[in-house]
């Protein structure tokens, strides 16, 4: 494992200096190679599916594990979109003239070596490795063990095609065991960033067991707050879509907050719609005076159901809603529904979450929908990247300065002054 | 301590929404209050100096500890410069139209709560707290214990003046004991970023003892590489300034690399200049065939002397120089001296450091010289901020989206398409 990480570190230096054209050519080769290897990939996936069926894996998980013609077309489309995205590496962020002949520039560059641990979907392997390639990073990958055969074929195909197209040896490696992951978490000398994707417990485990910076999210406890000044039709649309459009994901709403002055009207309409969609409602005392539902406990406000369950609380003010969200929320995505612009602005300023919405569904919080192209995940941390993380989130910058033999000793109260002219 | 951190968290929400005008007004009040409290500050500092003299503190440390009229004028000047800097908070980074009436914006915001532990200079307390104020962050501060009396008066003066000018209660707090720091490192629930300044061992201790992200640098092992194509005069100027202009700091050169084809000419000239400046030279075998100096061991290549000592190695190629730097360097600042643009570009692309220079002294790596105004420190990490960290480095962003009742369910293969128009 140490050798793998060390090779990735060495490869990362070379990967950082590759041109956008070369990386795009490598991505095109990867897409071709995946198409050419389709039979081999599907056979490996059949094996994984059979093993998992024997092991009694649930239907929803089997569906995620399945990698068929449609999934392959999807990832190849994804690679083609990725090729079209602008290369963030080498972009100049600032330039300033410090003195005659002394120019400082800040230029985007890759982070270096990423360690990414992801769930059972094999398409994630293709998305993550191609994002790493385009952003000039080296990457160590560990997928779900149920997908071991599929992942091995996919990783080999991508790695060999990219090598033939000029990517440096060792830029990508597939880890196969949990012990590898444990070893990786200790390699802070070689790895710059760990991105875990998966359950809350898993992400917490990673965060507690490494000195390497970790980017990602543990919880997705998203709120919709229906303000006193809400348009009822919009409120119903947004609250319904946020819960029901796809409840198993991190950007689905888990708690609905309703202003008391509007609660009766809106809750009666929503309860009807939620009932039709089979959503289990859990309300606080005042909510239960309006609609018939189970009681919500303190525990409910801090729970990510990822399911057709919704907790509902009544509040008496915008401030109370903001306080509830900052206390129980996970910093993922929270929305206010209101026609009152002042209230919307206050909500957007004071809610301390990575995405804060006004009159639209929390389900929009996603890298593809934001226009970032592909995404490696969603970050609820407040360092480096926040919210959906795409190519730019996998880069940092370096400061480059060019002079003509300039020495600091010549500057000072008695000497030259810094110009600091933006150029 | 938990209460202090919790209050800081609550204050940070309010601080994040303050206007630039209000924060500048608070900074002006702080400057006034420091001037008004000057006698009290100097008396407290006299007490600290006396205690430290009795405890046998070295002269250089006493000089750092001293806070007199000149230092006070310096920090007040610093506050006035800070007022003139643009407020990073609220700046729009991107805006994109996703659909008619659905607009996504990315806007800079403060990180939240900073925990900053700094060395004995009391002026650092003023610089750090005012940077935190301007960037809208709450801050917990711990200074050197030798400066306890001075720091207490400075912190009280700044806090009270800022409160009177409308800053939220609890936005700033001074920690007084090492136990407080230990407790702070466990408050990952309330604190977003820890910035340690001080010795290598101290920074390592902080990094090893917290789950909170840490920004800063442990080592500053900077290199100058004199290439085959160097102009000898420039090489001598840059190498001399990088070592001698102020050797006690992190951006001073610790190791000089010289291409073998030019070594004799340049080493003979440099040895003479270094000898006059009393620099102790340590060379590898080939260097010692050219100039008379002590032998350098493997340990020397990995040592930050912070002193008038320099290790020198001879290399046979640009690639060897880059490899040496990426192996032994600390990712702080490294420089190539050459007239060959191709070699300079290769060096700047492949050296994996936060600042990479061409024909200018490593001593330029500094927030003030870069034109960032004040700086909170220099980061050698590759996440969030790299190199000198000023106001922008203390911010992150949030995604704000405004719609008109938009639901995700209306988009898709059969429905609406995302526009993704940059605006």
């Amino acid at each position: 494992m140490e050798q793998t990480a060390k090779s990735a570190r060495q490869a990362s230096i070379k990967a950082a200096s590759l041109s956008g054209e070369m990386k795009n050519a490598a991505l095109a080769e990867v897409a071709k190679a995946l198409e050419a290897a389709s039979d081999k990939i599907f056979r490996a996936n059949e094996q994984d599916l059979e093993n998992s069926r024997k092991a009694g894996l649930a239907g929803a998980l089997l569906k995620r594990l399945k990698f068929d013609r449609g999934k392959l077309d999807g990832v190849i489309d994804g690679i083609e979109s990725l090729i079209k995205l602008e290369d963030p590496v080498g972009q100049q962020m600032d330039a300033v003239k410090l003195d005659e002949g002394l120019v400082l520039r800040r230029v985007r560059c890759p982070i270096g070596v990423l360690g990414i641990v992801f769930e059972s979907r094999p398409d994630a392997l293709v998305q993550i490795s191609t994002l790493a390639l385009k952003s000039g990073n080296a990457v160590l990958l560990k997928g779900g063990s149920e997908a071991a055969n599929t992942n091995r074929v996919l990783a080999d195909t991508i790695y060999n095609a990219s090598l033939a197209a000029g990517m440096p040896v060792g830029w990508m490696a597939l880890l196969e065991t949990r012990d590898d992951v444990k070893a990786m978490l200790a390699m802070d000398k070689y790895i710059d960033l760990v991105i875990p994707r998966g359950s809350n417990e898993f992400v917490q485990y990673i965060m507690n067991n490494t000195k390497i910076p970790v980017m990602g999210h543990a919880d997705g406890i998203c709120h919709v707050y229906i303000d006193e000044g809400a348009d009822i039709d919009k409120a119903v649309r947004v609250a319904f879509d946020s819960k029901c459009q796809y409840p198993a994901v991190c950007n689905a709403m888990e708690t609905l907050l309703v202003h008391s002055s509007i609660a009766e009207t809106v809750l009666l309409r929503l309860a009807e719609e939620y009932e039709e969609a089979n959503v289990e409602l859990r309300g606080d005392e005042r909510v239960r005076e309006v609609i018939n539902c189970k009681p919500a406990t303190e525990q409910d406000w801090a729970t990510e159901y990822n399911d057709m369950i919704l907790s509902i609380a009544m509040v008496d003010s915008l401030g109370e809603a903001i306080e509830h969200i900052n206390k129980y929320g996970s910093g993922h995505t929270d929305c206010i529904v209101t026609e009152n612009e002042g209230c919307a602005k206050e909500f957007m300023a004071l809610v301390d979450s990575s995405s804060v919405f006004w009159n639209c569904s929390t389900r929009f919080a996603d890298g593809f929908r934001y226009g970032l192209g592909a995404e490696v995940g969603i970050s609820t941390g407040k360092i480096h990247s926040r919210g959906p993380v795409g190519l730019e989130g996998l880069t940092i910058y370096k400061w480059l300065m060019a002079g003509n033999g300039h020495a600091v000793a010549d500057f000072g109260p008695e000497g030259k002054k810094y110009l600091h002219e933006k150029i």
Side-chain angles (χ1 to χ4, degrees), chain A residues 284-318:
Chain A
D284 67 13
E285 265 185 49
R286 292 203 290 168
V287 167
R288 297 178 71 219
E289 285 168 15
V290 181
I291 57 170
N292 181 19
C293 67
K294 288 191 186 173
T297 64
E298 177 74 13
Q299 182 58 34
D300 279 295
W301 312 130
T303 297
E304 179 178 17
Y305 304 115
N306 276 340
D307 204 347
M308 281 297 210
I309 306 173
L310 179 70
S311 57
I312 310 179
M314 212 182 283
V315 295
D316 290 318
S317 68
L318 173 62

Side-chain angles (χ1 to χ4, degrees), chain A residues 156-335:
Chain A
D156 284 350
T157 306
I158 294 169
Y159 182 60
N160 292 331
S162 65
L163 233 55
M167 288 297 292
V169 173
W171 82 270
M172 162 186 172
L174 184 68
L175 311 186
E176 302 232 3
T177 68
R178 284 184 184 213
D179 282 348
D180 282 345
V181 173
K182 217 172 150 187
M184 178 180 86
L185 295 180
M187 302 275 161
D188 54 303
K189 198 173 153 191
Y190 301 116
I191 300 172
D192 297 294
L193 182 66
V194 170
I195 306 179
R197 310 196 336 177
S199 69
N200 185 336
E201 296 72 37
F202 174 69
V203 175
Q204 287 291 352
Y205 163 80
I206 297 279
M207 288 178 173
N208 291 341
N209 286 282
T210 186
K211 280 196 274 178
I212 307 170
V214 177
M215 185 159 79
H217 70 276
D219 281 313
I221 304 180
C222 301
H223 300 77
V224 172
Y225 163 58
I226 302 178
D227 182 54
E228 191 172 18
D231 174 292
I232 301 288
D233 285 339
K234 288 184 198 170
V236 171
R237 278 174 60 73
V238 168
F240 187 82
D241 192 81
S242 294
K243 180 72 242 177
C244 303
Q245 201 267 336
Y246 193 16
V249 287
C250 59
N251 59 12
M253 166 176 63
E254 306 296 359
T255 299
L256 178 69
L257 303 173
V258 186
H259 194 285
S260 49
S261 73
I262 203 175
E264 195 166 335
T265 332
V266 80
L267 283 180
L268 289 174
R269 272 193 55 188
L270 267 172
E272 206 173 308
E273 298 221 13
Y274 282 139
E275 196 181 352
E276 249 175 66
N278 283 316
V279 178
E280 176 189 323
L281 302 182
R282 302 180 185 177
D284 67 13
E285 265 185 49
R286 292 203 290 168
V287 167
R288 297 178 71 219
E289 285 168 15
V290 181
I291 57 170
N292 181 19
C293 67
K294 288 191 186 173
T297 64
E298 177 74 13
Q299 182 58 34
D300 279 295
W301 312 130
T303 297
E304 179 178 17
Y305 304 115
N306 276 340
D307 204 347
M308 281 297 210
I309 306 173
L310 179 70
S311 57
I312 310 179
M314 212 182 283
V315 295
D316 290 318
S317 68
L318 173 62
E320 208 183 305
I322 293 168
E323 211 168 295
H324 181 108
I325 292 171
N326 284 339
K327 180 171 179 191
Y328 295 106
S330 59
H332 193 298
T333 303
D334 301 287
C335 174

